[in-house]
């Protein structure tokens, strides 16, 4: 009887230890993917879902662009930006038009104010596809000029992050309240400095944290797709404009291709 129990223990003990180790490793892995205050970090993969833009019954397919310099296409030597690439793709299917309300340097609070106006609400209601870029200026403007002490920088970034998430949620709520069906593509943030990041520049980890916050917020709304840009531009000076900050023609073309993966033309 004692031998039988001993044999059983020889099988059960390793199995128990193995299961415990696997659970411990899994918990550690989840915690490793979280920042110091519990915010997940990491670049989301390219969109796996696809939205089918509605085909307007009469009239043109309408694209509305809202946001900052990335939405405007700043840095593109051709003057197109990614939005006009998307427009050209839809024009191959049929009549299409675009309204671009993007402004260089705007923060999420300004975009929020914009989408709450009656004129923009009317444009949102009639849109068949909405492209949004917001957050990069919140992040860059949060850095104290001249650097500042680490604690000061951390506090400033934490405050900017909270405001960004609140404004982003309000922006998406407003867009969805005015238009329940049109796909919304929200561009993720990227690190233009790449491996050259140094003191006074945003760390890659911070940008990835904000991208994850964008993804988590977008998942709260139907038909909102995050378009990853980080991997398209990280360490790719050949895809950056002369200012070494905004994308160039090639960079914007890559972003447009990502948008069309999430919202295919046909």
């Amino acid at each position: 009887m004692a031998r039988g129990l001993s044999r059983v223990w020889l099988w059960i003990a390793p199995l128990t230890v193995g299961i415990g180790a696997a659970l411990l490793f899994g918990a550690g892995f989840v915690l490793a993917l979280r920042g110091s205050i519990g915010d997940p970090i990491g670049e989301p993969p390219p969109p796996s879902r696809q939205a089918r833009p509605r085909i307007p019954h009469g009239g043109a397919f309408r694209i509305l662009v809202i946001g900052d310099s990335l939405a405007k296409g700043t840095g593109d030597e051709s003057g197109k930006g990614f939005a006009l690439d998307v427009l050209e793709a839809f024009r191959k299917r049929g009549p299409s038009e675009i309204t671009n309300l993007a402004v260089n340097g705007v923060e999420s609070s300004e975009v929020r104010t914009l989408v709450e106006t009656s004129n923009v609400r009317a444009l949102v209601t009639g849109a068949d596809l909405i492209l949004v870029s917001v957050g990069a200026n919140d992040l860059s403007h949060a850095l104290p000029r001249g650097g500042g002490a680490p604690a000061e920088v951390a506090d400033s970034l934490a405050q900017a992050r909270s405001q960004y998430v609140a404004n982003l949620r309000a922006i998406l709520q407003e867009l969805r309240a005015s238009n329940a069906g049109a796909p919304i593509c929200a561009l993720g943030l990227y690190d233009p400095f790449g491996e050259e990041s140094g003191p006074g520049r945003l760390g890659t980890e911070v940008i990835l944290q904000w991208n994850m916050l964008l993804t988590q917020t977008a998942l709260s709304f139907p038909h909102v797709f995050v378009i990853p840009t980080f991997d398209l531009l990280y360490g790719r000076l050949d895809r950056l404009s002369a200012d070494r900050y905004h994308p160039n023609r090639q960079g914007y073309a890559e972003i447009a291709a990502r948008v069309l993966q999430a919202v295919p033309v046909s």
Side-chain angles (χ1 to χ4, degrees):
M1 186 69 169
R3 271 187 191 175
L5 290 174
S6 177
R7 289 179 180 176
V8 170
W9 177 249
L10 287 175
W11 283 96
I12 293 177
L15 179 61
T16 303
V17 172
I19 293 174
L23 292 174
L24 181 60
F25 175 81
F29 181 73
V30 171
L31 292 175
L33 291 178
R34 293 182 175 272
S36 58
I37 61 170
D39 290 329
I41 62 175
E43 175 67 11
S48 57
R49 299 179 298 163
Q50 289 187 339
R52 294 290 177 181
R54 58 188 180 184
I55 299 176
H57 300 287
F61 184 88
R62 294 179 291 270
I63 300 174
L64 178 63
V65 187
I66 299 171
D68 51 28
S69 58
L70 191 64
K72 187 175 181 180
T74 301
D76 187 344
E77 58 273 21
S78 72
K80 294 173 58 177
F82 79 94
L84 287 185
D85 285 337
V86 174
L87 174 65
E88 289 177 357
F90 277 96
R91 278 182 171 168
K92 293 178 181 178
R93 185 184 70 179
S96 302
E97 60 187 34
I98 192 168
T99 301
N100 195 325
L101 303 179
V103 178
N104 288 345
V106 296
E107 297 184 0
S108 61
S109 59
E110 296 168 288
V111 176
R112 177 177 180 175
T113 299
L114 178 69
V115 300
E116 291 173 348
T117 63
S118 58
N119 288 341
V120 174
R121 282 174 178 166
L123 290 173
V124 172
T125 299
D128 300 295
L129 172 63
I130 302 170
L131 306 177
V132 180
S133 176
V134 63
N137 292 313
D138 297 60
L139 187 50
S140 61
H141 295 170
L143 287 176
R145 292 188 177 182
E152 180 185 1
V153 173
D155 289 344
S156 180
L157 288 175
Q159 182 179 359
R161 178 177 56 197
S162 297
Q163 293 174 346
Y164 163 66
V165 172
N167 288 330
L168 176 63
R169 180 169 293 279
I171 290 167
L172 295 178
Q173 285 176 337
E174 188 64 45
L175 295 177
R176 272 289 158 260
S178 299
N179 189 323
I184 299 173
C185 292
L187 267 60
L189 280 62
Y190 63 92
D191 182 1
F193 304 115
E195 298 177 355
E196 298 178 358
S197 296
R201 289 180 172 176
L202 294 173
T204 296
E205 180 178 328
V206 175
I207 295 174
L208 294 178
Q209 287 177 343
W210 281 50
N211 276 338
M212 186 57 71
L213 290 173
L214 167 61
T215 301
Q216 290 175 326
T217 304
L219 287 173
S220 302
F221 299 88
H223 308 302
V224 177
F225 304 90
V226 175
I227 308 301
T229 64
F230 189 94
D231 62 308
L232 295 177
L233 299 170
Y234 185 78
R236 294 298 302 266
L237 294 179
D238 60 316
R239 293 180 178 176
L240 293 179
S241 66
D243 64 11
R244 290 292 184 264
Y245 189 81
H246 295 95
N248 58 15
R249 172 85 293 267
Q250 182 182 357
Y252 279 116
E254 295 291 341
I255 294 174
R258 279 277 171 87
V259 172
L260 294 170
Q261 286 176 9
V263 190
V265 177
S266 59

